[in-house]
Amino acid sequence: MYFCDRMERLIGRYGKYGAAKTFLIFAGVHGNEKLGIQALEELFEEFEKKQVDFDGTIIGIACNLAALEQDIRYIHKDLNRQWYLSKIRKLAALPYGMLNTSEDIEQKHILELILDVVYDKGKELMLIDLHTTSAIGGCFCITNSHPRSSELALDIPVPLINGMVGKIKGTTLEYFDELGLPAVAYEAGQHAEIEAVDRMKAGLVSIFTKTSCLKDRDLEPYQFILDKMTEDFNHLPQNVEVVHLHKITEEDEFVMHPGYINFQEVKKGEYLADDRKGKILAPSDGLILMPLYQKKGSDGFFIVRELD
Ligand SMILES: [Zn+2]
């Protein structure tokens, strides 16, 4: 068993018994993205301390415990590429002893914790999946195709990325898409950028207020962070779509040229990276997103363009 027993899977649960809305919040789906765990721990503590009146339920889950423990993206495979309904059914049927990767074990354990919530038809459920990026300037939301997702994400003053579901298979966003439920992945900064913690908390509180689970006055302590985010990110296009994804495998030996930051403009034909076959050029004009500056990962970079 690869289970890590030092860290709790359930970061916290807060809210009102019987309330209509449930927010499932994932953190640490990638083990080198620890700030989501910190943000949730702090937020639960702040709510508890102030005994905030929350008309809903928040469930915070730490996802890839074994990878978090080692501060690496994943142990055997990317946990954010495993969320297919067919696979989820298979995992439910197999005993732990028959699972041979760390991530399958993690996923089965997460599912055992959340499936009652996911299939509770009496509740309005939404997923928010907290992440950080390896490149600078990584502050944006990615939505699935449920219309409610972008409605809520637009309340966080960072760019919104559309059209990612379908380009990357097996993400948590796609899982919720298949279930017909809203989901937002919130990339709140670079892996070691401590401001990401405040941005995560402010973004979450902003969504909780927008959905009337919190009163407007509960947003006040976080408003200065939202104002700062507006200031820091409103020069970026606020609504973009993915036009290209450069997929990679470990055997490609992909190396991104240094210095690219999220939303940096690139021109068609620009020399962006190398792999064992040679030069990788930008296939079109656009803005670069999530250029890969870490060893593990299956996406080299994305190119997005502004929506009208
Ligand atoms: Zn991530």
Side-chain angles (χ1 to χ4, degrees), residues 30 33 73 80 130-132 187 191:
H30 294 131
E33 301 174 19
R73 188 172 168 92
N80 203 22
L130 302 173
H131 288 258
T132 48
E187 303 271 359
H191 298 329

Side-chain angles (χ1 to χ4, degrees), residues 69-80:
E69 188 74 11
Q70 294 185 38
D71 199 17
I72 50 176
R73 188 172 168 92
Y74 54 82
I75 306 285
H76 294 113
K77 53 191 183 183
D78 192 332
L79 184 57
N80 203 22

Side-chain angles (χ1 to χ4, degrees), residues 228-247:
K228 172 90 170 51
M229 285 162 68
T230 305
E231 212 178 291
D232 289 347
F233 305 117
N234 75 357
H235 66 285
L236 298 172
Q238 295 299 298
N239 210 359
V240 306
E241 65 171 351
V242 178
V243 289
H244 177 76
L245 158 60
H246 183 80
K247 279 189 194 287

Side-chain angles (χ1 to χ4, degrees), residues 47-221:
F47 282 10
E48 291 281 356
K49 203 168 151 194
K50 291 187 220 154
Q51 283 297 296
V52 166
D53 181 18
F54 192 86
D55 191 16
T57 308
I58 313 167
I59 303 168
I61 310 270
C63 290
N64 199 337
L65 298 185
L68 281 159
E69 188 74 11
Q70 294 185 38
D71 199 17
I72 50 176
R73 188 172 168 92
Y74 54 82
I75 306 285
H76 294 113
K77 53 191 183 183
D78 192 332
L79 184 57
N80 203 22
R81 301 292 182 274
Q82 312 301 325
W83 299 86
Y84 305 93
L85 284 186
S86 54
K87 183 189 170 179
I88 284 165
R89 282 190 209 106
K90 210 164 94 187
L91 274 185
L94 289 173
Y96 279 103
M98 287 185 73
L99 305 179
N100 51 18
T101 68
S102 178
E103 276 73 24
D104 282 352
I105 293 166
E106 300 276 352
Q107 191 178 10
K108 184 175 170 71
H109 197 224
I110 297 165
L111 287 164
E112 284 175 355
L113 207 61
I114 68 167
L115 276 185
D116 281 356
V117 177
V118 167
Y119 289 112
D120 184 350
K121 295 281 177 235
K123 298 271 168 72
E124 207 182 302
L125 178 66
M126 172 176 195
L127 173 76
I128 305 168
D129 188 2
L130 302 173
H131 288 258
T132 48
T133 66
S134 60
I136 299 173
C139 204
F140 48 89
C141 284
I142 308 169
T143 52
N144 72 355
S145 66
H146 195 288
R148 188 88 179 120
S149 310
S150 41
E151 242 175 75
L152 295 173
L154 278 170
D155 232 40
I156 304 178
V158 295
L160 176 61
I161 319 294
N162 301 273
M164 194 73 96
V165 171
K167 292 227 166 34
I168 314 180
K169 298 283 179 204
T171 59
T172 57
L173 288 182
E174 192 177 73
Y175 173 43
F176 266 57
D177 216 60
E178 282 192 274
L179 295 168
L181 294 168
V184 175
Y186 180 18
E187 303 271 359
Q190 209 177 5
H191 298 329
E193 198 182 355
I194 199 67
E195 290 90 335
V197 172
D198 279 344
R199 290 182 197 138
M200 285 173 180
K201 291 195 291 183
L204 289 171
V205 172
S206 166
I207 287 181
F208 298 155
T209 313
K210 168 106 171 176
T211 49
S212 306
C213 290
L214 286 179
K215 309 262 181 331
D216 287 346
R217 64 162 188 268
D218 296 315
L219 185 64
E220 274 164 31

Side-chain angles (χ1 to χ4, degrees), residues 22 37 42 95 113 136 150 182 205 218 245 267 270 272 280:
T22 305
I37 313 268
E42 287 185 15
L113 207 61
I136 299 173
S150 41
V205 172
D218 296 315
L245 158 60
K267 292 280 171 213
E270 189 169 329
L272 299 177
I280 296 161

